[in-house]
Amino acid sequence: SQQGEEDPQALSIQEGENATMNCSYKTSINNLQWYRQNSGRGLVHLILIRSNEREKHSGRLRVTLDTSKKSSSLLITASRAADTASYFCATVNTNAGKSTFGDGTTLTVKP
Amino acid sequence: EPEVTQTPSHQVTQMGQEVILRCVPISNHLYFYWYRQILGQKVEFLVSFYNNEISEKSEIFDDQFSVERPDGSNFTLKIRSTKLEDSAMYFCASSGQLSGNTIYFGEGSWLTVV
């Protein structure tokens, strides 16, 4: 399996519910970033969490990082139909600064 | 908020033709990247660029690809002889620091090779 694998692959919820997406990775990282992508559009940066951080909040987003388990989670609270998109985690390693993306989770929020 | 801009948004080209995709990174950033995303697949790293040279490249970034920073603002990706399998969305990205800083992506250039 590859660096930055998200699960589930697809998630469908009702508006107002919370959505949790997970990401696992294999090698050491400097930081981990979450992105949103609407169909056919660019990657919108959501949040960056550094390897020495455990949790970070931004509005309705909460990201956790467990470096011992090499995993991260993204929680979107009180979801809205506009949150419908694909969500990717991307790890940045300690050397070159490139991002390695996972396959993404496709979130559908039904009104 | 500052943003990475890319042109063209969509280009259709004949197989074997050369294509240049252009990017204007965020002005105070020093690190530049190209990624691609084949339809329905994950985003793949192509190349990173710092201090006027390639700092890392992937297996995808073979001899048909090249990057250039011709002036103080533009960052280009050239595909010398396009193949059908080069059809993808190409994303430019930039960051202000090698590690620990946010990597910002452009809206992408959709390349269709026919």
Side-chain angles (χ1 to χ4, degrees):
Chain A
S1 54
Q2 300 192 25
Q3 186 86 337
E5 293 189 346
E6 292 92 340
D7 79 87
Q9 289 186 326
L11 181 61
S12 181
I13 58 174
Q14 290 294 136
E15 205 164 31
E17 293 180 341
N18 296 340
T20 300
M21 289 160 268
N22 303 296
C23 166
S24 60
Y25 57 92
K26 291 191 171 297
T27 64
S28 63
I29 63 169
N30 183 276
N31 67 63
L32 185 146
Q33 306 186 39
W34 283 91
Y35 292 86
R36 184 185 76 225
Q37 184 181 37
N38 290 86
S39 183
R41 301 295 303 275
L43 294 155
V44 176
H45 184 265
L46 296 176
I47 202 162
L48 177 154
I49 187 165
R50 302 185 200 285
S51 60
N52 61 353
E53 297 176 312
R54 292 295 166 258
E55 188 171 309
K56 217 162 175 184
H57 297 256
S58 176
R60 294 184 295 114
L61 306 180
R62 173 177 164 249
V63 166
T64 62
L65 179 64
D66 186 336
T67 52
S68 66
K69 294 180 180 177
K70 291 187 167 56
S71 68
S72 174
S73 68
L74 169 67
L75 168 68
I76 304 174
T77 60
S79 63
R80 304 166 184 167
D83 294 329
T84 295
S86 292
Y87 291 82
F88 296 89
C89 70
T91 54
V92 180
N93 65 23
T94 56
N95 298 321
K98 71 175 188 183
S99 292
T100 303
F101 283 79
D103 292 311
T105 293
T106 300
L107 173 67
T108 303
V109 181
K110 293 179 276 191
Chain B
E1 185 174 294
E3 58 182 20
V4 176
T5 57
Q6 291 185 240
T7 55
S9 56
H10 189 190
Q11 182 162 351
V12 181
T13 189
Q14 294 274 344
M15 193 168 55
Q17 294 295 305
E18 177 181 283
V19 161
I20 296 176
L21 305 178
R22 292 182 168 80
C23 170
V24 179
I26 294 172
S27 63
N28 61 353
H29 284 182
L30 299 176
Y31 302 91
F32 314 114
Y33 313 87
W34 283 101
Y35 291 78
R36 80 171 185 192
Q37 185 180 32
I38 295 171
L39 186 64
Q41 298 187 22
K42 67 166 65 177
V43 176
E44 301 173 291
F45 169 77
L46 292 178
V47 65
S48 59
F49 191 87
Y50 168 70
N51 201 25
N52 285 319
E53 61 182 25
I54 291 173
S55 47
E56 188 173 358
K57 60 183 181 180
S58 71
E59 292 176 352
I60 303 168
F61 194 87
D62 60 22
D63 290 343
Q64 68 163 150
F65 291 93
S66 62
V67 289
E68 194 177 40
R69 187 155 165 81
D71 53 45
S73 59
N74 291 285
F75 179 52
T76 61
L77 174 69
K78 182 190 289 186
I79 309 174
R80 256 178 281 279
S81 178
T82 50
K83 299 177 277 196
L84 294 176
E85 53 265 37
D86 294 328
S87 294
M89 180 79 94
Y90 288 81
F91 292 106
C92 175
S94 69
S95 69
Q97 183 173 308
L98 187 61
S99 58
N101 269 18
T102 298
I103 300 176
Y104 291 94
F105 284 78
E107 279 288 317
S109 292
W110 183 248
L111 175 66
T112 303
V113 183
V114 296

PDB file of all heavy atoms in Angstrom, chain A residues 49-82:
ATOM      1  N   ILE A  49      -0.909  20.220   9.677  1.00  0.00           N
ATOM      2  CA  ILE A  49      -0.560  19.836  11.044  1.00  0.00           C
ATOM      3  C   ILE A  49       0.872  19.329  11.015  1.00  0.00           C
ATOM      4  O   ILE A  49       1.252  18.521  10.162  1.00  0.00           O
ATOM      5  CB  ILE A  49      -1.552  18.804  11.623  1.00  0.00           C
ATOM      6  CG1 ILE A  49      -1.259  18.558  13.103  1.00  0.00           C
ATOM      7  CG2 ILE A  49      -1.591  17.511  10.814  1.00  0.00           C
ATOM      8  CD1 ILE A  49      -2.395  17.851  13.844  1.00  0.00           C
ATOM      9  N   ARG A  50       1.679  19.849  11.912  1.00  0.00           N
ATOM     10  CA  ARG A  50       3.089  19.487  11.937  1.00  0.00           C
ATOM     11  C   ARG A  50       3.278  18.206  12.745  1.00  0.00           C
ATOM     12  O   ARG A  50       2.438  17.833  13.560  1.00  0.00           O
ATOM     13  CB  ARG A  50       3.916  20.625  12.539  1.00  0.00           C
ATOM     14  CG  ARG A  50       3.755  21.923  11.792  1.00  0.00           C
ATOM     15  CD  ARG A  50       4.657  23.018  12.312  1.00  0.00           C
ATOM     16  NE  ARG A  50       4.164  24.326  11.908  1.00  0.00           N
ATOM     17  CZ  ARG A  50       4.255  24.830  10.699  1.00  0.00           C
ATOM     18  NH1 ARG A  50       4.842  24.135   9.752  1.00  0.00           N
ATOM     19  NH2 ARG A  50       3.777  26.019  10.408  1.00  0.00           N
ATOM     20  N   SER A  51       4.418  17.578  12.555  1.00  0.00           N
ATOM     21  CA  SER A  51       4.655  16.286  13.194  1.00  0.00           C
ATOM     22  C   SER A  51       4.710  16.379  14.711  1.00  0.00           C
ATOM     23  O   SER A  51       4.496  15.383  15.404  1.00  0.00           O
ATOM     24  CB  SER A  51       5.949  15.661  12.668  1.00  0.00           C
ATOM     25  OG  SER A  51       7.043  16.506  12.935  1.00  0.00           O
ATOM     26  N   ASN A  52       4.962  17.565  15.247  1.00  0.00           N
ATOM     27  CA  ASN A  52       5.004  17.707  16.703  1.00  0.00           C
ATOM     28  C   ASN A  52       3.667  18.193  17.281  1.00  0.00           C
ATOM     29  O   ASN A  52       3.572  18.506  18.461  1.00  0.00           O
ATOM     30  CB  ASN A  52       6.136  18.645  17.127  1.00  0.00           C
ATOM     31  CG  ASN A  52       5.967  20.040  16.577  1.00  0.00           C
ATOM     32  OD1 ASN A  52       5.080  20.292  15.766  1.00  0.00           O
ATOM     33  ND2 ASN A  52       6.821  20.952  17.003  1.00  0.00           N
ATOM     34  N   GLU A  53       2.661  18.266  16.433  1.00  0.00           N
ATOM     35  CA  GLU A  53       1.328  18.660  16.886  1.00  0.00           C
ATOM     36  C   GLU A  53       0.416  17.445  16.921  1.00  0.00           C
ATOM     37  O   GLU A  53       0.580  16.513  16.127  1.00  0.00           O
ATOM     38  CB  GLU A  53       0.750  19.740  15.954  1.00  0.00           C
ATOM     39  CG  GLU A  53       1.557  21.025  15.965  1.00  0.00           C
ATOM     40  CD  GLU A  53       1.037  22.049  14.966  1.00  0.00           C
ATOM     41  OE1 GLU A  53       0.799  21.673  13.797  1.00  0.00           O
ATOM     42  OE2 GLU A  53       0.885  23.222  15.359  1.00  0.00           O
ATOM     43  N   ARG A  54      -0.571  17.479  17.784  1.00  0.00           N
ATOM     44  CA  ARG A  54      -1.477  16.342  17.919  1.00  0.00           C
ATOM     45  C   ARG A  54      -2.868  16.658  17.413  1.00  0.00           C
ATOM     46  O   ARG A  54      -3.605  15.768  16.988  1.00  0.00           O
ATOM     47  CB  ARG A  54      -1.546  15.898  19.382  1.00  0.00           C
ATOM     48  CG  ARG A  54      -0.246  15.307  19.871  1.00  0.00           C
ATOM     49  CD  ARG A  54       0.078  14.014  19.130  1.00  0.00           C
ATOM     50  NE  ARG A  54       1.456  13.611  19.344  1.00  0.00           N
ATOM     51  CZ  ARG A  54       2.415  13.801  18.428  1.00  0.00           C
ATOM     52  NH1 ARG A  54       2.153  14.366  17.264  1.00  0.00           N
ATOM     53  NH2 ARG A  54       3.652  13.404  18.674  1.00  0.00           N
ATOM     54  N   GLU A  55      -3.244  17.916  17.512  1.00  0.00           N
ATOM     55  CA  GLU A  55      -4.591  18.289  17.109  1.00  0.00           C
ATOM     56  C   GLU A  55      -4.585  19.741  16.656  1.00  0.00           C
ATOM     57  O   GLU A  55      -3.834  20.574  17.169  1.00  0.00           O
ATOM     58  CB  GLU A  55      -5.548  18.116  18.299  1.00  0.00           C
ATOM     59  CG  GLU A  55      -6.992  18.284  17.974  1.00  0.00           C
ATOM     60  CD  GLU A  55      -7.887  17.875  19.143  1.00  0.00           C
ATOM     61  OE1 GLU A  55      -7.683  16.765  19.662  1.00  0.00           O
ATOM     62  OE2 GLU A  55      -8.756  18.675  19.512  1.00  0.00           O
ATOM     63  N   LYS A  56      -5.448  19.994  15.669  1.00  0.00           N
ATOM     64  CA  LYS A  56      -5.562  21.359  15.186  1.00  0.00           C
ATOM     65  C   LYS A  56      -7.001  21.616  14.758  1.00  0.00           C
ATOM     66  O   LYS A  56      -7.676  20.717  14.240  1.00  0.00           O
ATOM     67  CB  LYS A  56      -4.623  21.572  13.997  1.00  0.00           C
ATOM     68  CG  LYS A  56      -3.994  22.933  13.965  1.00  0.00           C
ATOM     69  CD  LYS A  56      -2.805  22.955  13.074  1.00  0.00           C
ATOM     70  CE  LYS A  56      -2.288  24.385  12.997  1.00  0.00           C
ATOM     71  NZ  LYS A  56      -1.171  24.525  12.079  1.00  0.00           N
ATOM     72  N   HIS A  57      -7.460  22.837  14.969  1.00  0.00           N
ATOM     73  CA  HIS A  57      -8.819  23.194  14.621  1.00  0.00           C
ATOM     74  C   HIS A  57      -8.802  24.362  13.659  1.00  0.00           C
ATOM     75  O   HIS A  57      -7.954  25.245  13.731  1.00  0.00           O
ATOM     76  CB  HIS A  57      -9.589  23.611  15.879  1.00  0.00           C
ATOM     77  CG  HIS A  57      -9.737  22.533  16.892  1.00  0.00           C
ATOM     78  ND1 HIS A  57     -10.905  21.843  17.088  1.00  0.00           N
ATOM     79  CD2 HIS A  57      -8.840  22.007  17.763  1.00  0.00           C
ATOM     80  CE1 HIS A  57     -10.732  20.953  18.048  1.00  0.00           C
ATOM     81  NE2 HIS A  57      -9.488  21.028  18.483  1.00  0.00           N
ATOM     82  N   SER A  58      -9.788  24.349  12.768  1.00  0.00           N
ATOM     83  CA  SER A  58      -9.997  25.500  11.908  1.00  0.00           C
ATOM     84  C   SER A  58     -11.473  25.527  11.551  1.00  0.00           C
ATOM     85  O   SER A  58     -11.952  24.739  10.743  1.00  0.00           O
ATOM     86  CB  SER A  58      -9.152  25.397  10.638  1.00  0.00           C
ATOM     87  OG  SER A  58      -9.429  26.481   9.757  1.00  0.00           O
ATOM     88  N   GLY A  59     -12.211  26.425  12.180  1.00  0.00           N
ATOM     89  CA  GLY A  59     -13.655  26.487  11.933  1.00  0.00           C
ATOM     90  C   GLY A  59     -14.329  25.177  12.284  1.00  0.00           C
ATOM     91  O   GLY A  59     -14.213  24.680  13.409  1.00  0.00           O
ATOM     92  N   ARG A  60     -15.001  24.574  11.313  1.00  0.00           N
ATOM     93  CA  ARG A  60     -15.683  23.293  11.536  1.00  0.00           C
ATOM     94  C   ARG A  60     -14.769  22.088  11.334  1.00  0.00           C
ATOM     95  O   ARG A  60     -15.225  20.945  11.384  1.00  0.00           O
ATOM     96  CB  ARG A  60     -16.891  23.191  10.590  1.00  0.00           C
ATOM     97  CG  ARG A  60     -18.010  24.198  10.868  1.00  0.00           C
ATOM     98  CD  ARG A  60     -19.213  23.973   9.955  1.00  0.00           C
ATOM     99  NE  ARG A  60     -18.891  24.215   8.555  1.00  0.00           N
ATOM    100  CZ  ARG A  60     -18.896  23.272   7.624  1.00  0.00           C
ATOM    101  NH1 ARG A  60     -19.191  22.018   7.923  1.00  0.00           N
ATOM    102  NH2 ARG A  60     -18.608  23.571   6.369  1.00  0.00           N
ATOM    103  N   LEU A  61     -13.519  22.342  11.088  1.00  0.00           N
ATOM    104  CA  LEU A  61     -12.566  21.262  10.834  1.00  0.00           C
ATOM    105  C   LEU A  61     -11.729  20.977  12.074  1.00  0.00           C
ATOM    106  O   LEU A  61     -11.285  21.894  12.763  1.00  0.00           O
ATOM    107  CB  LEU A  61     -11.618  21.634   9.684  1.00  0.00           C
ATOM    108  CG  LEU A  61     -12.245  22.056   8.364  1.00  0.00           C
ATOM    109  CD1 LEU A  61     -11.145  22.392   7.363  1.00  0.00           C
ATOM    110  CD2 LEU A  61     -13.146  20.975   7.820  1.00  0.00           C
ATOM    111  N   ARG A  62     -11.537  19.680  12.310  1.00  0.00           N
ATOM    112  CA  ARG A  62     -10.631  19.264  13.376  1.00  0.00           C
ATOM    113  C   ARG A  62      -9.742  18.164  12.810  1.00  0.00           C
ATOM    114  O   ARG A  62     -10.232  17.171  12.280  1.00  0.00           O
ATOM    115  CB  ARG A  62     -11.408  18.753  14.583  1.00  0.00           C
ATOM    116  CG  ARG A  62     -10.534  18.148  15.671  1.00  0.00           C
ATOM    117  CD  ARG A  62     -11.367  17.719  16.864  1.00  0.00           C
ATOM    118  NE  ARG A  62     -10.619  16.816  17.723  1.00  0.00           N
ATOM    119  CZ  ARG A  62     -10.890  15.523  17.868  1.00  0.00           C
ATOM    120  NH1 ARG A  62     -11.897  14.977  17.249  1.00  0.00           N
ATOM    121  NH2 ARG A  62     -10.158  14.789  18.675  1.00  0.00           N
ATOM    122  N   VAL A  63      -8.457  18.354  12.929  1.00  0.00           N
ATOM    123  CA  VAL A  63      -7.499  17.374  12.430  1.00  0.00           C
ATOM    124  C   VAL A  63      -6.689  16.853  13.601  1.00  0.00           C
ATOM    125  O   VAL A  63      -6.265  17.622  14.463  1.00  0.00           O
ATOM    126  CB  VAL A  63      -6.567  18.002  11.373  1.00  0.00           C
ATOM    127  CG1 VAL A  63      -5.372  17.100  11.096  1.00  0.00           C
ATOM    128  CG2 VAL A  63      -7.322  18.253  10.080  1.00  0.00           C
ATOM    129  N   THR A  64      -6.502  15.554  13.627  1.00  0.00           N
ATOM    130  CA  THR A  64      -5.622  14.946  14.619  1.00  0.00           C
ATOM    131  C   THR A  64      -4.478  14.238  13.901  1.00  0.00           C
ATOM    132  O   THR A  64      -4.598  13.847  12.734  1.00  0.00           O
ATOM    133  CB  THR A  64      -6.367  13.933  15.491  1.00  0.00           C
ATOM    134  OG1 THR A  64      -6.849  12.866  14.648  1.00  0.00           O
ATOM    135  CG2 THR A  64      -7.540  14.581  16.212  1.00  0.00           C
ATOM    136  N   LEU A  65      -3.394  14.084  14.609  1.00  0.00           N
ATOM    137  CA  LEU A  65      -2.230  13.388  14.074  1.00  0.00           C
ATOM    138  C   LEU A  65      -1.653  12.498  15.161  1.00  0.00           C
ATOM    139  O   LEU A  65      -1.388  12.968  16.272  1.00  0.00           O
ATOM    140  CB  LEU A  65      -1.173  14.382  13.594  1.00  0.00           C
ATOM    141  CG  LEU A  65       0.116  13.786  13.017  1.00  0.00           C
ATOM    142  CD1 LEU A  65      -0.165  13.007  11.747  1.00  0.00           C
ATOM    143  CD2 LEU A  65       1.143  14.887  12.762  1.00  0.00           C
ATOM    144  N   ASP A  66      -1.482  11.241  14.826  1.00  0.00           N
ATOM    145  CA  ASP A  66      -0.862  10.286  15.736  1.00  0.00           C
ATOM    146  C   ASP A  66       0.364   9.716  15.027  1.00  0.00           C
ATOM    147  O   ASP A  66       0.240   8.810  14.198  1.00  0.00           O
ATOM    148  CB  ASP A  66      -1.860   9.177  16.107  1.00  0.00           C
ATOM    149  CG  ASP A  66      -1.321   8.241  17.171  1.00  0.00           C
ATOM    150  OD1 ASP A  66      -0.069   8.135  17.316  1.00  0.00           O
ATOM    151  OD2 ASP A  66      -2.121   7.605  17.865  1.00  0.00           O
ATOM    152  N   THR A  67       1.518  10.261  15.340  1.00  0.00           N
ATOM    153  CA  THR A  67       2.727   9.832  14.628  1.00  0.00           C
ATOM    154  C   THR A  67       3.154   8.425  15.030  1.00  0.00           C
ATOM    155  O   THR A  67       3.832   7.751  14.252  1.00  0.00           O
ATOM    156  CB  THR A  67       3.879  10.811  14.876  1.00  0.00           C
ATOM    157  OG1 THR A  67       4.046  11.006  16.284  1.00  0.00           O
ATOM    158  CG2 THR A  67       3.608  12.150  14.211  1.00  0.00           C
ATOM    159  N   SER A  68       2.740   7.977  16.219  1.00  0.00           N
ATOM    160  CA  SER A  68       3.103   6.610  16.626  1.00  0.00           C
ATOM    161  C   SER A  68       2.340   5.586  15.787  1.00  0.00           C
ATOM    162  O   SER A  68       2.857   4.507  15.492  1.00  0.00           O
ATOM    163  CB  SER A  68       2.814   6.398  18.108  1.00  0.00           C
ATOM    164  OG  SER A  68       1.422   6.463  18.360  1.00  0.00           O
ATOM    165  N   LYS A  69       1.126   5.952  15.391  1.00  0.00           N
ATOM    166  CA  LYS A  69       0.326   5.062  14.548  1.00  0.00           C
ATOM    167  C   LYS A  69       0.415   5.455  13.082  1.00  0.00           C
ATOM    168  O   LYS A  69      -0.182   4.810  12.215  1.00  0.00           O
ATOM    169  CB  LYS A  69      -1.145   5.089  14.981  1.00  0.00           C
ATOM    170  CG  LYS A  69      -1.385   4.523  16.360  1.00  0.00           C
ATOM    171  CD  LYS A  69      -2.861   4.571  16.718  1.00  0.00           C
ATOM    172  CE  LYS A  69      -3.071   3.996  18.109  1.00  0.00           C
ATOM    173  NZ  LYS A  69      -4.497   4.081  18.529  1.00  0.00           N
ATOM    174  N   LYS A  70       1.123   6.523  12.797  1.00  0.00           N
ATOM    175  CA  LYS A  70       1.231   7.036  11.442  1.00  0.00           C
ATOM    176  C   LYS A  70      -0.156   7.217  10.826  1.00  0.00           C
ATOM    177  O   LYS A  70      -0.483   6.665   9.749  1.00  0.00           O
ATOM    178  CB  LYS A  70       2.112   6.131  10.577  1.00  0.00           C
ATOM    179  CG  LYS A  70       3.590   6.152  10.969  1.00  0.00           C
ATOM    180  CD  LYS A  70       4.443   5.378   9.982  1.00  0.00           C
ATOM    181  CE  LYS A  70       5.924   5.629  10.148  1.00  0.00           C
ATOM    182  NZ  LYS A  70       6.431   5.353  11.490  1.00  0.00           N
ATOM    183  N   SER A  71      -0.969   7.978  11.527  1.00  0.00           N
ATOM    184  CA  SER A  71      -2.323   8.196  11.030  1.00  0.00           C
ATOM    185  C   SER A  71      -2.810   9.589  11.397  1.00  0.00           C
ATOM    186  O   SER A  71      -2.336  10.217  12.357  1.00  0.00           O
ATOM    187  CB  SER A  71      -3.274   7.139  11.590  1.00  0.00           C
ATOM    188  OG  SER A  71      -3.440   7.313  12.970  1.00  0.00           O
ATOM    189  N   SER A  72      -3.758  10.051  10.619  1.00  0.00           N
ATOM    190  CA  SER A  72      -4.380  11.346  10.843  1.00  0.00           C
ATOM    191  C   SER A  72      -5.864  11.215  10.555  1.00  0.00           C
ATOM    192  O   SER A  72      -6.286  10.352   9.777  1.00  0.00           O
ATOM    193  CB  SER A  72      -3.760  12.387   9.910  1.00  0.00           C
ATOM    194  OG  SER A  72      -4.442  13.631   9.994  1.00  0.00           O
ATOM    195  N   SER A  73      -6.647  12.069  11.186  1.00  0.00           N
ATOM    196  CA  SER A  73      -8.064  12.089  10.877  1.00  0.00           C
ATOM    197  C   SER A  73      -8.516  13.520  10.637  1.00  0.00           C
ATOM    198  O   SER A  73      -7.968  14.463  11.221  1.00  0.00           O
ATOM    199  CB  SER A  73      -8.882  11.451  12.000  1.00  0.00           C
ATOM    200  OG  SER A  73      -8.824  12.271  13.154  1.00  0.00           O
ATOM    201  N   LEU A  74      -9.500  13.643   9.792  1.00  0.00           N
ATOM    202  CA  LEU A  74     -10.138  14.931   9.517  1.00  0.00           C
ATOM    203  C   LEU A  74     -11.606  14.799   9.897  1.00  0.00           C
ATOM    204  O   LEU A  74     -12.304  13.917   9.384  1.00  0.00           O
ATOM    205  CB  LEU A  74     -10.021  15.300   8.039  1.00  0.00           C
ATOM    206  CG  LEU A  74     -10.859  16.498   7.562  1.00  0.00           C
ATOM    207  CD1 LEU A  74     -10.354  17.794   8.191  1.00  0.00           C
ATOM    208  CD2 LEU A  74     -10.828  16.613   6.033  1.00  0.00           C
ATOM    209  N   LEU A  75     -12.035  15.646  10.790  1.00  0.00           N
ATOM    210  CA  LEU A  75     -13.434  15.674  11.201  1.00  0.00           C
ATOM    211  C   LEU A  75     -14.063  16.965  10.713  1.00  0.00           C
ATOM    212  O   LEU A  75     -13.524  18.051  10.961  1.00  0.00           O
ATOM    213  CB  LEU A  75     -13.534  15.581  12.731  1.00  0.00           C
ATOM    214  CG  LEU A  75     -14.903  15.881  13.357  1.00  0.00           C
ATOM    215  CD1 LEU A  75     -15.904  14.794  12.978  1.00  0.00           C
ATOM    216  CD2 LEU A  75     -14.795  16.007  14.868  1.00  0.00           C
ATOM    217  N   ILE A  76     -15.158  16.836   9.996  1.00  0.00           N
ATOM    218  CA  ILE A  76     -15.950  18.003   9.605  1.00  0.00           C
ATOM    219  C   ILE A  76     -17.229  17.953  10.417  1.00  0.00           C
ATOM    220  O   ILE A  76     -18.005  16.986  10.313  1.00  0.00           O
ATOM    221  CB  ILE A  76     -16.280  17.990   8.095  1.00  0.00           C
ATOM    222  CG1 ILE A  76     -15.002  17.887   7.260  1.00  0.00           C
ATOM    223  CG2 ILE A  76     -17.080  19.229   7.707  1.00  0.00           C
ATOM    224  CD1 ILE A  76     -15.254  17.721   5.763  1.00  0.00           C
ATOM    225  N   THR A  77     -17.447  18.937  11.231  1.00  0.00           N
ATOM    226  CA  THR A  77     -18.648  18.951  12.060  1.00  0.00           C
ATOM    227  C   THR A  77     -19.776  19.713  11.367  1.00  0.00           C
ATOM    228  O   THR A  77     -19.530  20.583  10.523  1.00  0.00           O
ATOM    229  CB  THR A  77     -18.372  19.597  13.422  1.00  0.00           C
ATOM    230  OG1 THR A  77     -17.939  20.955  13.193  1.00  0.00           O
ATOM    231  CG2 THR A  77     -17.289  18.853  14.177  1.00  0.00           C
ATOM    232  N   ALA A  78     -20.990  19.345  11.732  1.00  0.00           N
ATOM    233  CA  ALA A  78     -22.181  20.031  11.205  1.00  0.00           C
ATOM    234  C   ALA A  78     -22.076  20.220   9.697  1.00  0.00           C
ATOM    235  O   ALA A  78     -22.112  21.334   9.175  1.00  0.00           O
ATOM    236  CB  ALA A  78     -22.366  21.371  11.895  1.00  0.00           C
ATOM    237  N   SER A  79     -21.946  19.109   8.994  1.00  0.00           N
ATOM    238  CA  SER A  79     -21.680  19.169   7.551  1.00  0.00           C
ATOM    239  C   SER A  79     -22.790  19.881   6.786  1.00  0.00           C
ATOM    240  O   SER A  79     -23.953  19.928   7.204  1.00  0.00           O
ATOM    241  CB  SER A  79     -21.491  17.761   7.002  1.00  0.00           C
ATOM    242  OG  SER A  79     -22.680  17.025   7.155  1.00  0.00           O
ATOM    243  N   ARG A  80     -22.390  20.427   5.653  1.00  0.00           N
ATOM    244  CA  ARG A  80     -23.290  21.136   4.753  1.00  0.00           C
ATOM    245  C   ARG A  80     -23.207  20.500   3.371  1.00  0.00           C
ATOM    246  O   ARG A  80     -22.200  19.885   3.033  1.00  0.00           O
ATOM    247  CB  ARG A  80     -22.891  22.602   4.665  1.00  0.00           C
ATOM    248  CG  ARG A  80     -22.830  23.319   5.989  1.00  0.00           C
ATOM    249  CD  ARG A  80     -22.125  24.646   5.874  1.00  0.00           C
ATOM    250  NE  ARG A  80     -21.986  25.297   7.175  1.00  0.00           N
ATOM    251  CZ  ARG A  80     -21.203  26.349   7.405  1.00  0.00           C
ATOM    252  NH1 ARG A  80     -20.495  26.869   6.416  1.00  0.00           N
ATOM    253  NH2 ARG A  80     -21.138  26.876   8.610  1.00  0.00           N
ATOM    254  N   ALA A  81     -24.217  20.720   2.572  1.00  0.00           N
ATOM    255  CA  ALA A  81     -24.200  20.184   1.209  1.00  0.00           C
ATOM    256  C   ALA A  81     -22.967  20.687   0.443  1.00  0.00           C
ATOM    257  O   ALA A  81     -22.393  19.966  -0.378  1.00  0.00           O
ATOM    258  CB  ALA A  81     -25.474  20.564   0.476  1.00  0.00           C
ATOM    259  N   ALA A  82     -22.543  21.907   0.751  1.00  0.00           N
ATOM    260  CA  ALA A  82     -21.376  22.493   0.067  1.00  0.00           C
ATOM    261  C   ALA A  82     -20.069  21.803   0.435  1.00  0.00           C
ATOM    262  O   ALA A  82     -19.039  22.037  -0.221  1.00  0.00           O
ATOM    263  CB  ALA A  82     -21.274  23.981   0.400  1.00  0.00           C
TER     264      ALA A  82
END
